[in-house]
């Protein structure tokens, strides 16, 4: 499970540079893009990377304050140019302001450094298939992905809401003539850094639409059911924590694809690009 070792090395780097972490450098250590690094971290840890870093900084900040450092110095140390912003972040984690941290008996919270260790527990079966697929063209609408993964939790649903409200989805359905069949959610965290709502199609991209080519990959495909984005995310987390560690594969650098198989989007497939794990 070299990919787990690489993720742990990236987390160790962040811990050593907690005052000014470089997510790009951490992603390089993990041998993936910044987007995929944040995504894998979130799926494995059950919390966004930004929140983990916030908790670790505030854990250290509390120790610094109790050792006698000034609030303004600690705020600057952890990247807060405004004492107000630092106060807000500190209080969100500890439930009290920095000024109260030095008081005798002050109750503070400590979040220790994280280390990933996968324990595989085969409680429920997982259906999947491995599919090699040549590059395929999609046509649809898109929105840029944000550097902070948490921000995408807002902008992606907004894109789906607009596509449903303005008639884009039935317009795309009429253009579908390729595989995979279904309405697609394609998340390219690499070159274009965009999320697409699209269909596989050879048709010209009409007004307001754009084309994108999903590269050739080997895909691990997992069927799922549910009527919310949470259902998709829950399946993705199971893939990473239950299937991937013993599968003989690693997550590849490529787009993630959601294939919605019915108009209500309650039956879907999650397509994960994979490569054979290094021996």
């Amino acid at each position: 499970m070299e990919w787990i070792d690489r993720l742990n090395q990236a987390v160790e780097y962040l811990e050593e540079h907690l005052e000014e972490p470089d997510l790009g450098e951490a992603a390089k250590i993990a041998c993936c893009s910044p987007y995929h690094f944040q995504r894998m971290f979130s799926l494995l840890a059950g919390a966004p990377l930004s929140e983990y870093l916030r908790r670790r900084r505030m854990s250290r900040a509390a120790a610094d304050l109790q050792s006698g450092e000034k609030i303004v110095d600690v705020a600057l140390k952890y990247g807060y140019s405004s004492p107000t912003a630092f106060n807000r972040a500190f209080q969100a984690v500890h439930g009290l302001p920095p000024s109260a941290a030095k008081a005798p008996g002050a109750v503070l919270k400590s979040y220790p450094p994280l280390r990933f260790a996968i324990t595989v527990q085969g409680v429920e079966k997982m259906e999947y298939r491995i599919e090699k697929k040549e590059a395929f063209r999609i046509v649809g609408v898109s929105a840029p992905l944000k550097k902070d993964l948490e921000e995408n939790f807002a902008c992606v649903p907004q894109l789906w809401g607009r596509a449903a409200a303005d008639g884009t989805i039935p317009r795309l359905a009429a253009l579908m003539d390729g595989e995979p069949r279904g309405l697609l959610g394609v998340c390219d965290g690499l070159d274009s850094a965009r999320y697409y709502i699209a269909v596989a199609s050879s048709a010209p991209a009409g007004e307001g639409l754009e084309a994108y080519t999903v590269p050739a990959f080997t895909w691990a495909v997992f069927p799922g059911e549910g009527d919310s984005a949470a259902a998709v995310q829950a399946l993705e987390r199971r893939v990473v924590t239950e299937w991937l560690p013993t599968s003989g594969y690693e997550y590849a650098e490529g787009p993630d694809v959601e294939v919605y198989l019915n108009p209500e989007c309650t039956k879907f497939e999650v397509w994960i690009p994979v490569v054979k794990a290094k021996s």
Side-chain angles (χ1 to χ4, degrees):
M1 292 188 290
E2 288 190 4
W3 60 281
I4 288 291
D5 294 335
R6 294 196 297 267
L7 283 173
N8 281 325
Q9 290 167 12
V11 172
E12 289 171 5
Y13 162 82
L14 291 173
E15 185 67 22
E16 293 168 359
H17 300 81
L18 201 56
E19 295 172 9
E20 292 186 79
D22 184 339
L23 295 188
E25 183 62 29
K28 286 181 183 178
I29 295 170
C31 298
C32 60
S33 69
Y35 173 83
H36 274 115
F37 175 61
Q38 291 184 73
R39 183 175 175 78
M40 290 290 286
F41 183 98
S42 178
L43 290 170
L44 286 166
L49 177 60
S50 57
E51 179 60 24
Y52 168 77
L53 292 175
R54 187 180 301 118
R55 291 173 180 174
R56 284 295 302 136
R57 289 193 194 101
M58 292 305 99
S59 293
R60 281 202 187 171
D64 293 342
L65 290 172
Q66 290 193 316
S67 69
E69 294 187 37
K70 296 179 179 179
I71 292 175
V72 64
D73 293 336
V74 175
L76 290 172
K77 181 178 182 179
Y78 292 103
Y80 293 88
S81 56
S82 162
T84 301
F86 175 68
N87 181 81
R88 188 164 52 245
F90 191 93
Q91 192 148 341
V93 171
H94 295 286
L96 48 78
S99 58
K102 298 181 181 182
V107 178
L108 299 167
K109 296 180 177 67
S110 178
Y111 292 90
L114 178 150
R115 183 170 181 81
F116 295 115
I118 296 297
T119 300
V120 179
Q121 298 179 351
V123 179
E124 298 180 22
K125 68 177 182 180
M126 290 192 71
E127 294 183 357
Y128 73 96
R129 69 180 187 272
I130 301 296
E131 182 168 326
K132 290 186 178 181
K133 188 168 180 58
E134 295 301 317
F136 60 96
R137 180 177 178 271
I138 63 173
V139 172
V141 293
S142 75
L145 292 170
K146 308 296 184 180
K147 289 184 178 180
D148 188 333
L149 194 64
E150 284 183 274
E151 295 182 49
N152 296 317
F153 295 153
C155 71
V156 170
Q158 289 171 1
L159 180 65
W160 278 99
R162 290 195 299 270
D166 64 14
T168 296
I169 288 179
R171 183 184 173 197
L172 292 175
L175 298 176
M176 181 170 48
D177 63 7
E179 297 287 343
R181 304 287 292 182
L183 187 63
L184 310 178
V186 178
C187 187
D188 174 25
L190 301 175
D191 298 331
S192 65
R194 302 188 75 82
Y195 181 91
Y196 297 82
I197 298 173
V199 293
S201 177
S202 60
E207 184 179 355
L209 302 180
E210 55 192 293
Y212 170 75
T213 299
V214 178
F217 271 107
T218 296
W219 304 87
V221 182
F222 301 83
E225 292 189 21
D227 59 359
S228 68
V232 178
Q233 292 168 7
L235 177 57
E236 290 173 337
R237 188 168 193 276
R238 286 196 67 199
V239 170
V240 171
T241 60
E242 297 179 29
W243 180 80
L244 199 58
T246 58
S247 67
Y249 288 93
E250 292 185 8
Y251 213 118
E253 279 294 305
D256 298 322
V257 179
E258 305 149 11
V259 182
Y260 294 96
L261 304 171
N262 61 350
E264 298 81 15
C265 294
T266 56
K267 291 188 177 183
F268 56 84
E269 292 179 338
V270 168
W271 289 46
I272 303 295
V274 294
V275 295
K276 282 288 188 180
K278 299 175 182 178
S279 56

PDB file of all heavy atoms in Angstrom, residues 65-87:
ATOM      1  N   LEU A  65       0.151  30.013  23.433  1.00  0.00           N
ATOM      2  CA  LEU A  65      -0.415  31.031  24.318  1.00  0.00           C
ATOM      3  C   LEU A  65      -0.175  30.670  25.780  1.00  0.00           C
ATOM      4  O   LEU A  65       0.168  31.534  26.603  1.00  0.00           O
ATOM      5  CB  LEU A  65      -1.914  31.186  24.049  1.00  0.00           C
ATOM      6  CG  LEU A  65      -2.295  31.833  22.714  1.00  0.00           C
ATOM      7  CD1 LEU A  65      -3.806  31.751  22.493  1.00  0.00           C
ATOM      8  CD2 LEU A  65      -1.837  33.291  22.667  1.00  0.00           C
ATOM      9  N   GLN A  66      -0.338  29.396  26.102  1.00  0.00           N
ATOM     10  CA  GLN A  66      -0.139  28.980  27.485  1.00  0.00           C
ATOM     11  C   GLN A  66       1.324  29.022  27.911  1.00  0.00           C
ATOM     12  O   GLN A  66       1.624  29.073  29.106  1.00  0.00           O
ATOM     13  CB  GLN A  66      -0.714  27.580  27.697  1.00  0.00           C
ATOM     14  CG  GLN A  66      -2.243  27.539  27.638  1.00  0.00           C
ATOM     15  CD  GLN A  66      -2.810  26.249  28.157  1.00  0.00           C
ATOM     16  OE1 GLN A  66      -2.317  25.176  27.849  1.00  0.00           O
ATOM     17  NE2 GLN A  66      -3.874  26.345  28.943  1.00  0.00           N
ATOM     18  N   SER A  67       2.213  29.018  26.908  1.00  0.00           N
ATOM     19  CA  SER A  67       3.641  29.126  27.232  1.00  0.00           C
ATOM     20  C   SER A  67       4.089  30.573  27.359  1.00  0.00           C
ATOM     21  O   SER A  67       5.267  30.835  27.628  1.00  0.00           O
ATOM     22  CB  SER A  67       4.483  28.412  26.173  1.00  0.00           C
ATOM     23  OG  SER A  67       4.422  29.107  24.935  1.00  0.00           O
ATOM     24  N   GLY A  68       3.152  31.518  27.118  1.00  0.00           N
ATOM     25  CA  GLY A  68       3.467  32.928  27.349  1.00  0.00           C
ATOM     26  C   GLY A  68       3.560  33.805  26.116  1.00  0.00           C
ATOM     27  O   GLY A  68       3.796  35.011  26.236  1.00  0.00           O
ATOM     28  N   GLU A  69       3.392  33.260  24.921  1.00  0.00           N
ATOM     29  CA  GLU A  69       3.476  34.089  23.720  1.00  0.00           C
ATOM     30  C   GLU A  69       2.272  35.020  23.623  1.00  0.00           C
ATOM     31  O   GLU A  69       1.173  34.705  24.086  1.00  0.00           O
ATOM     32  CB  GLU A  69       3.566  33.206  22.469  1.00  0.00           C
ATOM     33  CG  GLU A  69       4.849  32.394  22.390  1.00  0.00           C
ATOM     34  CD  GLU A  69       4.993  31.667  21.057  1.00  0.00           C
ATOM     35  OE1 GLU A  69       4.603  32.249  20.024  1.00  0.00           O
ATOM     36  OE2 GLU A  69       5.498  30.533  21.061  1.00  0.00           O
ATOM     37  N   LYS A  70       2.482  36.177  22.983  1.00  0.00           N
ATOM     38  CA  LYS A  70       1.425  37.166  22.830  1.00  0.00           C
ATOM     39  C   LYS A  70       0.436  36.733  21.752  1.00  0.00           C
ATOM     40  O   LYS A  70       0.817  36.088  20.769  1.00  0.00           O
ATOM     41  CB  LYS A  70       2.012  38.527  22.464  1.00  0.00           C
ATOM     42  CG  LYS A  70       2.897  39.134  23.548  1.00  0.00           C
ATOM     43  CD  LYS A  70       3.461  40.470  23.096  1.00  0.00           C
ATOM     44  CE  LYS A  70       4.335  41.092  24.179  1.00  0.00           C
ATOM     45  NZ  LYS A  70       4.901  42.393  23.742  1.00  0.00           N
ATOM     46  N   ILE A  71      -0.815  37.160  21.933  1.00  0.00           N
ATOM     47  CA  ILE A  71      -1.854  36.771  20.981  1.00  0.00           C
ATOM     48  C   ILE A  71      -1.524  37.254  19.583  1.00  0.00           C
ATOM     49  O   ILE A  71      -1.648  36.502  18.608  1.00  0.00           O
ATOM     50  CB  ILE A  71      -3.229  37.330  21.435  1.00  0.00           C
ATOM     51  CG1 ILE A  71      -3.679  36.628  22.719  1.00  0.00           C
ATOM     52  CG2 ILE A  71      -4.268  37.140  20.337  1.00  0.00           C
ATOM     53  CD1 ILE A  71      -4.959  37.206  23.301  1.00  0.00           C
ATOM     54  N   VAL A  72      -1.087  38.504  19.451  1.00  0.00           N
ATOM     55  CA  VAL A  72      -0.805  39.051  18.112  1.00  0.00           C
ATOM     56  C   VAL A  72       0.332  38.288  17.439  1.00  0.00           C
ATOM     57  O   VAL A  72       0.304  38.055  16.213  1.00  0.00           O
ATOM     58  CB  VAL A  72      -0.482  40.559  18.203  1.00  0.00           C
ATOM     59  CG1 VAL A  72       0.795  40.807  19.001  1.00  0.00           C
ATOM     60  CG2 VAL A  72      -0.405  41.175  16.822  1.00  0.00           C
ATOM     61  N   ASP A  73       1.332  37.849  18.236  1.00  0.00           N
ATOM     62  CA  ASP A  73       2.452  37.102  17.658  1.00  0.00           C
ATOM     63  C   ASP A  73       2.008  35.710  17.207  1.00  0.00           C
ATOM     64  O   ASP A  73       2.416  35.230  16.136  1.00  0.00           O
ATOM     65  CB  ASP A  73       3.587  36.981  18.674  1.00  0.00           C
ATOM     66  CG  ASP A  73       4.232  38.323  18.987  1.00  0.00           C
ATOM     67  OD1 ASP A  73       4.142  39.221  18.135  1.00  0.00           O
ATOM     68  OD2 ASP A  73       4.812  38.442  20.084  1.00  0.00           O
ATOM     69  N   VAL A  74       1.172  35.068  18.003  1.00  0.00           N
ATOM     70  CA  VAL A  74       0.681  33.732  17.646  1.00  0.00           C
ATOM     71  C   VAL A  74      -0.217  33.817  16.413  1.00  0.00           C
ATOM     72  O   VAL A  74      -0.161  32.957  15.524  1.00  0.00           O
ATOM     73  CB  VAL A  74      -0.078  33.103  18.830  1.00  0.00           C
ATOM     74  CG1 VAL A  74      -0.694  31.757  18.425  1.00  0.00           C
ATOM     75  CG2 VAL A  74       0.864  32.901  20.008  1.00  0.00           C
ATOM     76  N   ALA A  75      -1.042  34.863  16.343  1.00  0.00           N
ATOM     77  CA  ALA A  75      -1.917  35.047  15.182  1.00  0.00           C
ATOM     78  C   ALA A  75      -1.099  35.155  13.898  1.00  0.00           C
ATOM     79  O   ALA A  75      -1.377  34.484  12.896  1.00  0.00           O
ATOM     80  CB  ALA A  75      -2.790  36.284  15.370  1.00  0.00           C
ATOM     81  N   LEU A  76      -0.061  35.981  13.916  1.00  0.00           N
ATOM     82  CA  LEU A  76       0.789  36.151  12.736  1.00  0.00           C
ATOM     83  C   LEU A  76       1.551  34.865  12.416  1.00  0.00           C
ATOM     84  O   LEU A  76       1.749  34.515  11.255  1.00  0.00           O
ATOM     85  CB  LEU A  76       1.771  37.301  12.959  1.00  0.00           C
ATOM     86  CG  LEU A  76       1.165  38.707  12.990  1.00  0.00           C
ATOM     87  CD1 LEU A  76       2.199  39.736  13.407  1.00  0.00           C
ATOM     88  CD2 LEU A  76       0.597  39.067  11.610  1.00  0.00           C
ATOM     89  N   LYS A  77       1.953  34.170  13.447  1.00  0.00           N
ATOM     90  CA  LYS A  77       2.724  32.935  13.279  1.00  0.00           C
ATOM     91  C   LYS A  77       1.960  31.918  12.457  1.00  0.00           C
ATOM     92  O   LYS A  77       2.546  31.182  11.652  1.00  0.00           O
ATOM     93  CB  LYS A  77       3.047  32.376  14.660  1.00  0.00           C
ATOM     94  CG  LYS A  77       3.873  31.102  14.680  1.00  0.00           C
ATOM     95  CD  LYS A  77       4.150  30.705  16.126  1.00  0.00           C
ATOM     96  CE  LYS A  77       5.006  29.466  16.234  1.00  0.00           C
ATOM     97  NZ  LYS A  77       5.283  29.120  17.654  1.00  0.00           N
ATOM     98  N   TYR A  78       0.640  31.859  12.645  1.00  0.00           N
ATOM     99  CA  TYR A  78      -0.168  30.853  11.958  1.00  0.00           C
ATOM    100  C   TYR A  78      -0.977  31.436  10.795  1.00  0.00           C
ATOM    101  O   TYR A  78      -1.982  30.877  10.387  1.00  0.00           O
ATOM    102  CB  TYR A  78      -1.071  30.142  12.962  1.00  0.00           C
ATOM    103  CG  TYR A  78      -0.266  29.294  13.922  1.00  0.00           C
ATOM    104  CD1 TYR A  78      -0.033  29.731  15.217  1.00  0.00           C
ATOM    105  CD2 TYR A  78       0.316  28.102  13.496  1.00  0.00           C
ATOM    106  CE1 TYR A  78       0.749  28.974  16.087  1.00  0.00           C
ATOM    107  CE2 TYR A  78       1.095  27.350  14.360  1.00  0.00           C
ATOM    108  CZ  TYR A  78       1.309  27.791  15.652  1.00  0.00           C
ATOM    109  OH  TYR A  78       2.095  27.044  16.509  1.00  0.00           O
ATOM    110  N   GLY A  79      -0.497  32.576  10.270  1.00  0.00           N
ATOM    111  CA  GLY A  79      -1.035  33.084   9.012  1.00  0.00           C
ATOM    112  C   GLY A  79      -2.255  33.976   9.121  1.00  0.00           C
ATOM    113  O   GLY A  79      -2.924  34.221   8.106  1.00  0.00           O
ATOM    114  N   TYR A  80      -2.553  34.493  10.326  1.00  0.00           N
ATOM    115  CA  TYR A  80      -3.713  35.372  10.494  1.00  0.00           C
ATOM    116  C   TYR A  80      -3.228  36.815  10.613  1.00  0.00           C
ATOM    117  O   TYR A  80      -2.634  37.209  11.614  1.00  0.00           O
ATOM    118  CB  TYR A  80      -4.517  34.975  11.736  1.00  0.00           C
ATOM    119  CG  TYR A  80      -5.190  33.630  11.603  1.00  0.00           C
ATOM    120  CD1 TYR A  80      -4.523  32.457  11.958  1.00  0.00           C
ATOM    121  CD2 TYR A  80      -6.481  33.517  11.101  1.00  0.00           C
ATOM    122  CE1 TYR A  80      -5.126  31.217  11.826  1.00  0.00           C
ATOM    123  CE2 TYR A  80      -7.096  32.277  10.962  1.00  0.00           C
ATOM    124  CZ  TYR A  80      -6.413  31.138  11.327  1.00  0.00           C
ATOM    125  OH  TYR A  80      -7.020  29.918  11.185  1.00  0.00           O
ATOM    126  N   SER A  81      -3.496  37.606   9.580  1.00  0.00           N
ATOM    127  CA  SER A  81      -3.055  39.001   9.594  1.00  0.00           C
ATOM    128  C   SER A  81      -3.936  39.855  10.485  1.00  0.00           C
ATOM    129  O   SER A  81      -3.549  40.946  10.900  1.00  0.00           O
ATOM    130  CB  SER A  81      -3.050  39.574   8.173  1.00  0.00           C
ATOM    131  OG  SER A  81      -4.334  39.442   7.579  1.00  0.00           O
ATOM    132  N   SER A  82      -5.130  39.355  10.781  1.00  0.00           N
ATOM    133  CA  SER A  82      -6.078  40.088  11.607  1.00  0.00           C
ATOM    134  C   SER A  82      -6.314  39.341  12.923  1.00  0.00           C
ATOM    135  O   SER A  82      -6.657  38.161  12.906  1.00  0.00           O
ATOM    136  CB  SER A  82      -7.406  40.254  10.865  1.00  0.00           C
ATOM    137  OG  SER A  82      -8.454  40.573  11.746  1.00  0.00           O
ATOM    138  N   PRO A  83      -6.158  40.019  14.076  1.00  0.00           N
ATOM    139  CA  PRO A  83      -6.481  39.376  15.344  1.00  0.00           C
ATOM    140  C   PRO A  83      -7.932  38.916  15.420  1.00  0.00           C
ATOM    141  O   PRO A  83      -8.241  37.916  16.078  1.00  0.00           O
ATOM    142  CB  PRO A  83      -6.198  40.483  16.379  1.00  0.00           C
ATOM    143  CG  PRO A  83      -5.212  41.374  15.717  1.00  0.00           C
ATOM    144  CD  PRO A  83      -5.586  41.357  14.258  1.00  0.00           C
ATOM    145  N   THR A  84      -8.811  39.637  14.722  1.00  0.00           N
ATOM    146  CA  THR A  84     -10.228  39.255  14.711  1.00  0.00           C
ATOM    147  C   THR A  84     -10.414  37.896  14.051  1.00  0.00           C
ATOM    148  O   THR A  84     -11.161  37.035  14.543  1.00  0.00           O
ATOM    149  CB  THR A  84     -11.070  40.316  13.975  1.00  0.00           C
ATOM    150  OG1 THR A  84     -10.915  41.576  14.631  1.00  0.00           O
ATOM    151  CG2 THR A  84     -12.545  39.928  13.975  1.00  0.00           C
ATOM    152  N   ALA A  85      -9.731  37.681  12.912  1.00  0.00           N
ATOM    153  CA  ALA A  85      -9.834  36.402  12.210  1.00  0.00           C
ATOM    154  C   ALA A  85      -9.247  35.276  13.066  1.00  0.00           C
ATOM    155  O   ALA A  85      -9.793  34.170  13.118  1.00  0.00           O
ATOM    156  CB  ALA A  85      -9.117  36.483  10.868  1.00  0.00           C
ATOM    157  N   PHE A  86      -8.131  35.560  13.721  1.00  0.00           N
ATOM    158  CA  PHE A  86      -7.521  34.556  14.593  1.00  0.00           C
ATOM    159  C   PHE A  86      -8.446  34.229  15.757  1.00  0.00           C
ATOM    160  O   PHE A  86      -8.635  33.055  16.115  1.00  0.00           O
ATOM    161  CB  PHE A  86      -6.177  35.061  15.116  1.00  0.00           C
ATOM    162  CG  PHE A  86      -5.538  34.147  16.116  1.00  0.00           C
ATOM    163  CD1 PHE A  86      -5.054  32.903  15.734  1.00  0.00           C
ATOM    164  CD2 PHE A  86      -5.427  34.516  17.458  1.00  0.00           C
ATOM    165  CE1 PHE A  86      -4.477  32.039  16.662  1.00  0.00           C
ATOM    166  CE2 PHE A  86      -4.847  33.668  18.389  1.00  0.00           C
ATOM    167  CZ  PHE A  86      -4.368  32.428  17.987  1.00  0.00           C
ATOM    168  N   ASN A  87      -9.051  35.246  16.351  1.00  0.00           N
ATOM    169  CA  ASN A  87      -9.972  35.041  17.465  1.00  0.00           C
ATOM    170  C   ASN A  87     -11.139  34.153  17.048  1.00  0.00           C
ATOM    171  O   ASN A  87     -11.544  33.237  17.770  1.00  0.00           O
ATOM    172  CB  ASN A  87     -10.493  36.393  17.960  1.00  0.00           C
ATOM    173  CG  ASN A  87     -11.447  36.240  19.144  1.00  0.00           C
ATOM    174  OD1 ASN A  87     -11.026  36.089  20.280  1.00  0.00           O
ATOM    175  ND2 ASN A  87     -12.742  36.280  18.870  1.00  0.00           N
TER     176      ASN A  87
END
